[in-house]
Amino acid sequence: MTADRPGSRSDVEHHPRHALDDVLQSPVRLSVVAALSGVERADFTTLRDTIELSDSALSKQLTALEDAGYVEITKDRVARRARTRVRLTDAGAAALRSHLAALRAIAELSLPATAD
Amino acid sequence: MNSADQPATPPHVPDPREAAEVLERVSRLAGRTRAQGWRWVRLYLTGWAVASVGLVLAIGLGGRVGFFVGMGAWAVIVAVGTTWANRQGATAPGTARRIFAGAITWAVVYGVTIFVGTTLWPGLVTFWVPAALVSAVPLLLAAWRPVPRDVTVPA
């Protein structure tokens, strides 16, 4: 193996795609986490309407995010109606920051090297 | 690269243009819920401020009838406002702190205004109109103070 040849293992491992978060690679899960990142918490209806998903699709993605420890789901009652509220955990916020940093690095790969 | 190095189902790797689009979408979604979270807080505190002006005027200039009408209307407004606030779907960061700060400051200003006004200048328009407007200031400040910057997804 040659470490300094373009396309070698060392080059490949430094590509920012390796910093992308596996859970957030799903566009829907990333949308849920992004919507939650702007608020302390949001209810199920707000998330569903913001992301424009069906109830079942959102439920499925929330379960996946909860299993990953990225969101915390609580249920309460308002005027005798059950309400599901979702909060981004510290782990979820950290994963989002890291994922966005990787995306920014990938986006910058397209910039022409005008300084050279 | 050896095929053994590849994961079984490699996730789609965005190209630079796709990555930029995803970043833009993330920023837009975060901004949308955040704006929704702040919008109702501003409306809630502004409504409370307007109601405070009415309450102080009713107590100061309406005599005994004004007191009872004002307090009755206030009780209804507080009940409706609290229920409405509890039903809001998005809570912006620092909402509880902002409402608490506005409420505490308002309570102090309101208490002083009512005590001084009813003791020294009952029914005096030149005191009660400015005093009613001043009672709204803490709530309006809490409502319209600039919101903190988002540190996770900067716009």
Side-chain angles (χ1 to χ4, degrees), chain B residues 85-114:
Chain B
N86 276 333
R87 284 186 178 172
Q88 297 308 307
T91 307
T95 295
R97 205 168 43 245
R98 185 175 285 240
I99 291 176
F100 182 75
I104 289 292
T105 321
W106 171 81
V108 171
V109 173
Y110 170 79
V112 170
T113 301
I114 297 297

Side-chain angles (χ1 to χ4, degrees), chain B residues 7-59:
Chain B
T9 50
H12 171 70
V13 177
D15 63 31
R17 188 180 53 78
E18 286 171 329
E21 285 170 3
V22 171
L23 285 167
E24 196 273 330
R25 183 164 52 86
V26 164
S27 177
R28 197 173 62 244
L29 283 170
R32 194 181 301 168
T33 47
R34 196 172 148 80
Q36 191 179 337
W38 282 120
R39 198 178 308 125
W40 74 260
V41 174
R42 288 189 156 145
L43 194 57
Y44 178 66
L45 288 168
T46 303
W48 187 349
V50 172
S52 172
V53 172
L55 177 64
V56 172
L57 287 177
I59 292 174

Side-chain angles (χ1 to χ4, degrees), chain A residues 28-55 57-59 61-63 65 71-74 84-88, chain B residues 29-30 32-34 36 88-91:
Chain A
V28 176
R29 285 198 289 270
L30 178 59
S31 294
V32 172
V33 170
L36 286 171
S37 73
V39 290
E40 238 169 51
R41 58 181 181 271
D43 67 8
F44 189 92
T45 309
T46 300
L47 284 176
R48 184 197 61 198
D49 294 347
T50 303
I51 305 163
E52 297 171 357
L53 274 183
S54 66
D55 285 6
L58 178 58
S59 269
Q61 299 304 336
L62 283 177
T63 302
L65 287 166
V71 301
E72 186 182 277
I73 300 173
T74 53
T84 302
R85 297 176 119 188
V86 188
R87 183 182 77 82
L88 190 63
Chain B
L29 283 170
R32 194 181 301 168
T33 47
R34 196 172 148 80
Q36 191 179 337
Q88 297 308 307
T91 307

Side-chain angles (χ1 to χ4, degrees), chain A residues 9, chain B residues 1-8:
Chain A
R9 178 179 289 274
Chain B
M1 189 188 285
N2 190 324
S3 64
D5 294 333
Q6 297 281 355

